[in-house]
């Protein structure tokens, strides 16, 4: 690479904040040169691991004969629970309910019970099939529909939110109704599956390359499993091939087993499950059964609402507590409920333990809110959009701005976003055109829906809202950047580098992005909750400002000028009436023994949460957006296409519009897939049967809307002092996919002249759409 020659006459740096920059690895992604863990050169003598999975859904193991496995070609070792030197537990919340390997009892079909270590991956995979395991079957439950959410076994304590008296308001309301909605889960389907490579070191040391969103948690879990201090374990990750929440906790198991085997045999060990095992043995988005009751008046004003959110959590707690909490936090979406009662039921089932997934329960809460809005709209015979707007939160000066968890909404812009999108998408005109089309079309029906989104930004576990960063400035003026955030394709590394370049006023190519490692920045939080840029950007900015402050003081003292006459310009520093190249000033500072390295830190202010009371300010701010989708449905088959989608979303003062637009487009498509084609299905023996792309259908490029208009709200900015007044963009766009589900519902409703709420559950597969159409036809044909 040629040496960087800065333009000392430039008016702006190349690649600062608020500029459109390509993803730092985009050219490597498309050319196949981006190095993922499985692309790394393997150390000599490396061994490979493969998990042996249970073939019972809930049972005690009466006999496990692994003799044929141990004598299979290439097999070096077979690990079982008794071979774990430390603690046989990888539960992220410390509830000690998730073993590394099952010990005597299995609680879901596909639970890891042993791990084969062999010379090659193929030998390890073949050997796992030779195990002879006998079980004594126990009763099992996989479907939460069979459980009473108030009496079922829970994996973690439930949460209740209340404001006002929902029961009294519903009872006194002029009109009321109740219903139930089933909402499916979702497989992460990251392009790169789980993988871990452990390399043993001296004494207790081990280095692990793990495809994880949470290196510090992997470090802690591995240290517990090995029975060694955290300082003995170093975890590093340069990039993941997708994460979506599925690599927040689920990588712990693979890393722990690789590390145990590596230390036992003093050889590097790599574990990379195939896609079927990955989908079978790792957690997914929580599916929910949502019970609701609502009281309202003849105009569609909602007076009281009561929710029960029952979730299929699987056999252990994992992150089900905070996921179901966040579902309740978003059961209002953009609406003010004058009286509200909402309760969660994180239910135990004999399925894989469900985990984080983009939105972390928030989208499930919003879907429940939107079902209530639709029910009220059909009951009073009005356009659902009219009911939505009627029940929006008010401005911060009024009394319609308190959430069910007693946080004041201070930054509400949803009215403006919806109004602008309603106009730009020509909603009213298209509503009339679609009505005329449906009246003249016998088999093809069209539907239209415009949906708002309000998403809370922060970890609801307050202590996670912190970040660290490490910045070095070298004597030639180039910069080394490291922070606790992880890169999974979302562009976090690039955004944080832009923040540092902006702070020093140097070109972006002068900032070196480096792999996340626990050896440089300790005690990091997961890259999750859409907080990656907010937290790590501010921490890196803090580190850069420390160095900048030292350089300013040095220049002021050396050149005998006031501090306010030291000004950082593009690639140079003005000191009094002279300008010095940035690299030259850095070299002078080094010669004067000025420290050119800093550890930055940031913690989110203002937030607090009392779970016992169900009150506080769990979110620093909210991100808003809206989407309008139009679909065409074949009423003979239930098949459908998305004709057009318009999105208006706000990201504050965007750090990088190109990256943000990509996140919005991708989030929408992923959310659309969750609510339409992606169906998880367990058979009557408790086996997940949708464990490969042959049976699990994610959206294809051909499934995208034929017309896809995505725009940022350029007028938006964060009302709190976030990094350059930007807003998070990882999770908030995901629920925008609701507009497709509700457009399908609108099309289905047309077969009964919009007199009956379709109550279309999700995922709205063609089969489910067809069944809803037939049900509405039958109901419409009944005598009044």
């Amino acid at each position: 690479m040629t040496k960087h020659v800065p333009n000392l006459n430039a008016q702006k740096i190349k690649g600062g904040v608020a500029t459109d920059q390509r993803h730092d690895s985009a050219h490597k992604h498309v050319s196949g040169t981006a190095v993922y863990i499985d692309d790394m050169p393997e150390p000599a003598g490396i061994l490979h691991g493969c998990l042996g999975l249970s073939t019972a859904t809930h049972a005690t193991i009466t006999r496990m004969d692994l003799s044929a496995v141990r004598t299979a070609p290439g097999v070096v070792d077979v690990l079982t629970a008794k071979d774990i030197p430390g603690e046989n537990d990888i539960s992220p919340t410390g509830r000690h309910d998730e073993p590394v390997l099952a010990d005597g009892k299995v609680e879901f079909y596909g639970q890891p019970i042993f791990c084969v270590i062999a010379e090659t991956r193929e030998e390890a995979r073949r050997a796992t099939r030779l195990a002879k395991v006998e079980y004594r079957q126990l009763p099992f439950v996989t479907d939460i529909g069979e459980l009473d959410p108030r009496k079922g076994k829970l994996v973690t304590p439930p949460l209740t939110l209340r404001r006002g008296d929902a029961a009294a308001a519903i009872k006194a309301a002029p009109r009321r109704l109740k219903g139930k909605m089933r909402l499916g889960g979702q497989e992460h389907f990251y392009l790169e599956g789980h993988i871990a490579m452990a390399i043993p070191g001296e004494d207790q040391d081990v280095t692990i390359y793990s495809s994880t969103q949470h290196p510090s948690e992997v470090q802690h879990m591995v240290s517990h499993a090995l029975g060694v201090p955290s300082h003995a374990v170093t975890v590093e990750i340069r990039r993941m091939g997708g994460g979506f929440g599925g690599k927040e906790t689920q990588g712990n198991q693979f890393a722990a087993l690789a590390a145990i085997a590596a230390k036992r045999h003093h050889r590097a060990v790599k574990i990379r499950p195939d896609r079927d095992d990955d989908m079978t043995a790792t957690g997914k988005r929580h599916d929910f059964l949502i019970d609701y009751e609502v009281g309202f008046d003849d105009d569609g004003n909602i007076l009281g609402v009561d929710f029960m959110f029952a979730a299929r959590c699987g056999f252990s707690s994992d992150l089900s507590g905070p996921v179901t909490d966040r579902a309740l936090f978003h059961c209002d979406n953009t609406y003010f409920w004058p009286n509200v009662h909402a309760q969660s039921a994180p239910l135990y089932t004999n399925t894989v333990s469900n985990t984080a997934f983009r939105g972390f329960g928030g989208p499930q809460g919003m879907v429940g809110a939107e079902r209530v809005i639709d029910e009220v709209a059909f009951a009073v015979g009005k356009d659902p959009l009219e009911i939505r707007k009627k029940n929006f939160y008010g401005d911060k000066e009024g009394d319609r701005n308190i959430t069910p968890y007693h946080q004041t909404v201070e930054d509400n812009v949803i009215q403006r976003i919806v109004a602008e999108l309603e106009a730009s998408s020509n909603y009213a005109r298209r509503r009339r055109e679609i009505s005329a089309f449906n009246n003249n079309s016998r088999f093809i029906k069209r539907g239209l829906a415009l949906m708002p989104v309000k998403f809370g930004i922060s970890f609801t576990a307050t202590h996670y809202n912190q970040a660290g960063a490490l910045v070095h400035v070298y004597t030639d003026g180039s910069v080394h950047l490291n922070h606790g955030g992880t890169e999974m394709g979302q562009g976090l590394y690039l955004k944080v580098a832009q923040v540092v370049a902006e702070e020093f006023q140097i070109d972006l190519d002068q900032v070196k992005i480096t792999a996340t490692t626990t050896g440089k920045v300790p005690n990091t939080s997961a890259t999750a909750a859409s907080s990656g840029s907010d937290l790590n950007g501010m921490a890196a900015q803090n580190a850069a400002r420390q160095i900048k402050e030292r350089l300013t003081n040095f220049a002021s003292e050396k050149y005998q000028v006031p501090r306010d006459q030291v000004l950082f310009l593009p690639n140079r520093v003005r000191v009094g009436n002279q300008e010095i190249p940035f690299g030259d000033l850095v070299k002078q500072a080094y010669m004067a023994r000025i420290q050119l390295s800093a550890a930055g830190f940031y913690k989110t202010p203002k937030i607090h949460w009392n779970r016992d009371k169900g009150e506080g300010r769990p979110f620093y701010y909210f991100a808003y957006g809206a989407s309008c989708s139009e679909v065409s449905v074949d009423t003979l088959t239930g098949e459908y296409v998305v004709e057009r989608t318009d999105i208006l979303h706000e990201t504050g003062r965007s750090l990088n519009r190109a990256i943000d637009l990509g996140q919005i487009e991708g989030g929408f498509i992923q959310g659309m897939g969750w609510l339409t084609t992606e169906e998880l299905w367990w058979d009557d023996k408790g086996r997940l049967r949708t464990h490969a792309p042959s049976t699990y259908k994610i959206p294809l490029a051909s499934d995208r809307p034929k017309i896809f208009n995505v725009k940022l709200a350029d007028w938006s900015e964060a009302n709190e002092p976030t990094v350059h007044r930007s807003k998070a963009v990882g999770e908030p766009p995901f629920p925008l996919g609701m507009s497709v589900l509700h457009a399908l519902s609108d099309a289905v409703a047309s077969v009964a002249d919009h007199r009956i709420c379709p109550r279309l559950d999700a995922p709205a597969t063609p089969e489910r759409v067809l069944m809803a159409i037939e049900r509405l036809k039958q109901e419409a044909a009944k005598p009044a």
Side-chain angles (χ1 to χ4, degrees), residues 607-729:
I607 55 177
H608 55 91
W609 170 242
N610 186 321
R611 192 176 189 272
D612 293 335
K613 292 183 177 180
E615 296 180 9
R617 178 178 176 165
F619 303 121
Y620 191 34
Y621 63 86
F622 297 97
Y624 299 86
S627 60
C628 179
S629 291
E630 180 179 343
V631 300
S632 294
V633 176
D634 184 336
T635 59
L636 297 179
T637 65
E639 294 175 292
Y640 48 81
V641 294
V642 183
E643 301 286 352
R644 173 177 168 180
T645 293
D646 297 80
I647 294 174
L648 179 63
H649 196 82
E650 58 120 18
T651 59
R653 293 181 184 172
S654 174
L655 295 174
N656 188 324
R657 288 172 49 88
I659 294 292
D660 287 353
L661 285 169
Q663 284 291 292
I664 294 166
E665 291 167 356
F668 169 83
I669 294 295
Q670 192 174 43
M672 179 186 79
W674 166 51
L675 295 170
T676 56
T677 63
E678 297 186 45
E679 185 171 29
L680 295 166
W681 191 79
W682 283 263
D683 66 15
D684 58 3
K685 292 182 174 61
R687 298 176 296 184
L688 177 69
R689 303 313 297 263
T690 49
H691 53 75
S694 57
T695 51
Y696 186 81
K697 301 298 182 182
I698 63 171
L700 304 175
S702 55
D703 293 318
R704 68 185 293 277
K706 294 179 182 178
I707 301 171
F708 198 13
N709 302 315
V710 181
K711 184 181 177 184
L712 298 182
D714 293 330
W715 42 265
S716 162
E717 69 172 55
N719 69 314
E720 297 289 354
T722 58
V723 59
H724 291 279
R725 295 282 178 174
S726 63
K727 282 192 173 186
V729 73

Side-chain angles (χ1 to χ4, degrees), residues 5 54 94 111 163 225 258 383 439 530 572 680 694 780:
V5 180
S54 73
Q111 184 173 2
R163 197 193 63 252
D383 185 333
N439 288 336
S530 304
R572 61 196 188 276
L680 295 166
S694 57

Side-chain angles (χ1 to χ4, degrees), residues 432-681:
R432 294 190 297 270
E433 292 172 352
I434 287 171
S435 179
F437 174 89
N438 287 342
N439 288 336
N440 295 303
S441 175
R442 184 178 177 187
F443 299 122
I444 305 298
K445 301 294 183 180
R446 289 194 169 178
L448 183 70
L450 194 157
M451 308 297 294
V453 163
K454 171 180 69 68
F455 196 90
I457 304 300
S458 290
F459 288 97
T460 53
T462 304
H463 65 278
Y464 277 139
N465 294 284
Q466 59 175 300
L470 182 66
V471 174
H472 303 317
V473 179
Y474 295 110
T475 55
D476 62 353
S478 63
V479 174
H480 173 111
L481 167 64
N482 194 270
H483 54 80
T486 57
E487 177 64 50
M488 60 198 93
Q490 82 278 39
L492 171 64
Y493 277 13
L494 173 63
K495 282 186 172 182
V496 178
Q498 287 179 268
V499 170
V500 171
E502 185 76 24
E503 204 60 41
F504 286 126
Q505 282 296 293
I506 58 177
D507 291 342
L508 181 61
D509 63 4
Q510 282 291 83
V511 181
K512 172 68 174 177
I513 295 169
T514 58
T516 306
T517 171
T518 57
K520 288 185 178 179
V521 178
N523 309 321
T524 58
S525 297
T527 304
S530 304
S531 61
S533 296
D534 283 2
L535 294 176
N536 295 286
M538 290 293 270
Q541 185 183 64
N542 174 257
R545 284 181 174 177
Q546 292 178 45
I547 299 170
K548 192 174 172 183
E549 177 79 3
R550 295 174 201 147
L551 290 173
T552 298
N553 291 337
F554 163 72
S556 172
E557 183 178 341
K558 177 177 174 66
Y559 292 98
Q560 295 297 297
V561 299
R563 279 173 43 85
D564 60 5
Q565 290 187 25
V566 180
L567 184 63
F568 285 72
L569 302 175
N571 299 305
R572 61 196 188 276
V573 182
R574 179 180 295 157
V575 183
N577 59 4
Q578 63 177 312
E579 293 186 358
I580 305 170
F582 178 77
D584 289 357
L585 183 65
V586 167
K587 184 64 177 289
Q588 293 173 18
Y590 165 75
M591 297 301 291
R593 298 183 295 180
I594 302 299
Q595 185 183 6
L596 296 172
S597 176
F601 182 77
Y602 175 75
K603 62 179 180 180
T604 309
K606 295 187 177 182
I607 55 177
H608 55 91
W609 170 242
N610 186 321
R611 192 176 189 272
D612 293 335
K613 292 183 177 180
E615 296 180 9
R617 178 178 176 165
F619 303 121
Y620 191 34
Y621 63 86
F622 297 97
Y624 299 86
S627 60
C628 179
S629 291
E630 180 179 343
V631 300
S632 294
V633 176
D634 184 336
T635 59
L636 297 179
T637 65
E639 294 175 292
Y640 48 81
V641 294
V642 183
E643 301 286 352
R644 173 177 168 180
T645 293
D646 297 80
I647 294 174
L648 179 63
H649 196 82
E650 58 120 18
T651 59
R653 293 181 184 172
S654 174
L655 295 174
N656 188 324
R657 288 172 49 88
I659 294 292
D660 287 353
L661 285 169
Q663 284 291 292
I664 294 166
E665 291 167 356
F668 169 83
I669 294 295
Q670 192 174 43
M672 179 186 79
W674 166 51
L675 295 170
T676 56
T677 63
E678 297 186 45
E679 185 171 29
L680 295 166
W681 191 79

